Amino acid sequence: MLENLFPKWGGKAFVLVLLGFASTDFIITMTLSAADAASHFIHNPFAPHWLSNQMVVTLLLLAVLGGIFLKGFKEAIGIAVVLVGIYLILNAIVTVVALNALLRHPDAFSNWKHAVLTKHPSVLGILGLSLILFPELALGLSGFETGVAVMPLIRGKDMTDRIRNTRKLLSTAAIIMSVFLMATSVVTSLLIPAREFAEGGAANSRAMAYLAHQYLGSAFGTVYDVSTILILAFAGASAMAGLLNLIPRYLPRLGMAPEWALASRPLVLVFMGIAVLVTVLFRANVDAQGGAYATGVLVLITSAAFAVTLHMWHKGSIRYVFLFITVIFSYTTMLNIFERPEGLKISSLFILAIIASSLLSRAMR
């Protein structure tokens, strides 16, 4: 829809820019998830000593992911579905146990409230600080945009049925993500000491795993760690699926990619090569990749919100609801870019690479 706002080459350039941000998002999803999985692995008490290197474990996980996609797209998605089911069940168990612990220790909320009001006695100050920190929640949207990217793969008897199934998919994903995001934010904030969230702390990048070990023991905690490692490693599966769906759908159609871009296996090798390079450049550091990931996610969601606002502009008062959502995401995107400009820089490199390779491909043909 947005590409129709620009005539001829302007529309193509706009699509290429969005593909650049999408590529940033999906590639960083792969590398960030693999690095996070590696962090869970090396911090587990039962992990072998010879596999205690974050970089080595991250590259091994990326290699496994690439190997599965080289074997076949359906096999990768099938494995991912099973892992997601197990992971959601384990998270539900940990969340319920943690909420029960809060009910048995109501002083945890009182202590948290006292600490907040002691440091920020003004309610307006708390609201202002919340607005400033709001963009940090962008990482909580992780995965939703990859689900949106694979919407063309949803099947149905006809277009109406496909749209209905798409709404079911997005609604289910949004509800599950919202419930878990709110519930886990509460239990981790109230039950885990702040010092454990600092770099090097036991809960840094693994807050729910920390609670699993603390309240359900090392055996269950290790099962949770294994599930988390697998789900994070395969989080790249949704990102890879998004890339394999987007690139062949747009670049060849615009005459901006060679014919081999329509085949999945050559693209898998290209994307895995880029993922390895990004991992090495970022030294498999989870926090260092957060800014680039958030930028890619927010630009995609903001552009989608803007497109929907344009589509609904003549639908009466409901248009202002979508306009409000667009304003929120626009604010979040700009503040995130201002605070973490490395995300825009990395996205710009992806955009330049896509535009340069697309123009070169077109010129050669």
Side-chain angles (χ1 to χ4, degrees):
M1 180 183 294
L2 286 177
E3 62 184 287
N4 296 330
L5 293 175
F6 305 94
K8 299 181 180 180
W9 276 98
K12 292 184 178 182
F14 190 81
V15 171
L16 291 176
V17 169
L18 284 182
L19 283 176
F21 281 108
S23 299
T24 303
D25 175 13
F26 294 161
I27 290 292
I28 297 296
T29 295
M30 293 165 56
T31 59
L32 180 68
S33 299
D36 200 3
S39 177
H40 279 75
F41 181 87
I42 64 177
H43 284 96
N44 185 274
F46 299 107
H49 179 72
W50 58 275
L51 273 179
S52 59
N53 186 288
Q54 175 97 358
M55 177 71 74
V56 172
V57 177
T58 300
L59 293 177
L60 284 175
L61 291 174
L62 286 174
V64 171
L65 176 65
I68 292 174
F69 265 92
L70 287 175
K71 181 174 176 58
F73 182 85
K74 291 183 178 180
E75 287 80 357
I77 299 301
I79 294 173
V81 169
V82 174
L83 293 177
V84 167
I86 295 173
Y87 181 69
L88 289 178
I89 292 172
L90 293 176
N91 264 287
I93 294 173
V94 177
T95 302
V96 170
V97 170
L99 288 172
N100 184 58
L102 281 179
L103 293 176
R104 289 186 287 106
H105 300 89
D107 57 309
F109 178 77
S110 300
N111 294 336
W112 172 82
K113 182 180 178 181
H114 176 73
V116 171
L117 293 178
T118 299
K119 192 170 184 178
H120 306 285
S122 170
V123 175
L124 291 178
I126 294 175
L127 291 175
L129 186 62
S130 298
L131 287 174
I132 295 174
L133 296 177
F134 181 76
E136 300 294 335
L137 291 176
L139 290 177
L141 299 172
S142 173
F144 191 78
E145 80 289 353
T146 54
V148 173
V150 297
M151 286 194 304
L153 299 178
I154 297 174
R155 297 178 180 177
K157 297 178 181 178
D158 50 34
M159 184 57 67
T160 301
D161 196 38
R162 289 181 63 188
I163 292 174
R164 186 183 301 112
N165 291 336
T166 299
R167 287 176 175 172
K168 290 179 182 178
L169 168 69
L170 297 183
S171 298
T172 303
I175 292 171
I176 292 174
M177 290 174 67
S178 299
V179 170
F180 273 106
L181 181 59
M182 294 301 298
T184 56
S185 295
V186 170
V187 296
T188 54
S189 298
L190 299 184
L191 293 177
I192 301 177
R195 64 179 181 277
E196 299 296 349
F197 287 106
E199 186 174 352
N204 182 256
S205 299
R206 55 190 306 274
M208 291 300 290
Y210 177 93
L211 293 179
H213 281 273
Q214 181 175 356
Y215 290 100
L216 292 164
S218 296
F220 184 91
T222 298
V223 172
Y224 183 86
D225 278 334
V226 171
S227 175
T228 304
I229 290 167
L230 292 174
I231 198 67
L232 284 170
F234 275 87
S238 61
M240 180 70 81
L243 285 168
L244 294 176
N245 179 57
L246 284 177
I247 299 301
R249 182 174 296 273
Y250 286 99
L251 289 187
R253 189 182 72 184
L254 297 173
M256 307 296 283
E259 292 300 323
W260 60 262
L262 293 171
S264 61
R265 285 184 173 82
L267 284 179
V268 169
L269 293 175
V270 171
F271 296 144
M272 291 310 302
I274 296 174
V276 169
L277 178 62
V278 170
T279 297
V280 173
L281 291 177
F282 279 101
R283 300 180 181 179
N285 187 291
V286 176
D287 295 331
Q289 300 177 66
Y293 173 76
T295 298
V297 171
L298 288 170
V299 169
L300 290 181
I301 295 181
T302 301
S303 62
F306 180 58
V308 173
T309 301
L310 290 179
H311 178 70
M312 301 295 293
W313 195 246
H314 300 291
K315 302 288 184 178
S317 59
I318 188 68
R319 62 185 178 181
Y320 295 108
V321 175
F322 294 100
L323 178 61
F324 177 69
I325 295 173
T326 302
V327 170
I328 290 177
F329 278 115
S330 298
Y331 160 78
T332 306
T333 302
M334 290 186 291
L335 191 58
N336 178 80
I337 291 175
F338 176 76
E339 293 182 346
R340 307 185 74 172
E342 70 274 10
L344 181 61
K345 295 176 182 177
I346 295 169
S347 298
S348 299
L349 292 177
F350 275 99
I351 293 169
L352 290 175
I354 286 180
I355 292 177
S357 59
S358 298
L359 292 177
L360 179 62
S361 173
R362 189 177 180 87
M364 292 179 63
R365 287 181 290 112

